[in-house]
Amino acid sequence: MSERRPGQWPVDEPVTLDSADQGGAYMQRAAERALHEMVLDSIRHDLQQQPTPLSVLTAARNWCTRITAAAEDIAREKREAA
């Protein structure tokens, strides 16, 4: 068994990003990560605009409710399409 943990440097078999498939996967992951960060930053910005701690928590609960409702709608649409 190796003394190193996964992701620890140096790696035994480094992966090159030269191939189109690996480079494409990397770029797709980077784009998905950027979108995720933009959404979270947008929510964080909205929460920071709230004047009181109670309104921050209320706004957060409203975000959670709206996200859950959207997820339920999308899940229902996907079930109907399947």
Side-chain angles (χ1 to χ4, degrees), residues 46-56:
D46 180 63
L47 295 176
Q48 287 173 337
Q49 299 303 309
Q50 303 304 316
T52 66
L54 182 59
S55 64
V56 170

Side-chain angles (χ1 to χ4, degrees), residues 7-56:
Q8 191 174 2
W9 187 262
V11 295
D12 294 327
E13 298 176 24
V15 176
T16 61
L17 296 177
D18 294 338
S19 74
D21 182 45
Q22 290 175 348
Y26 176 80
M27 292 303 291
Q28 180 181 356
R29 173 67 179 123
E32 290 171 358
R33 179 71 179 168
L35 178 61
H36 180 81
E37 291 299 317
M38 286 190 306
V39 170
L40 285 179
D41 286 347
S42 180
I43 293 171
R44 177 179 288 277
H45 176 76
D46 180 63
L47 295 176
Q48 287 173 337
Q49 299 303 309
Q50 303 304 316
T52 66
L54 182 59
S55 64
V56 170

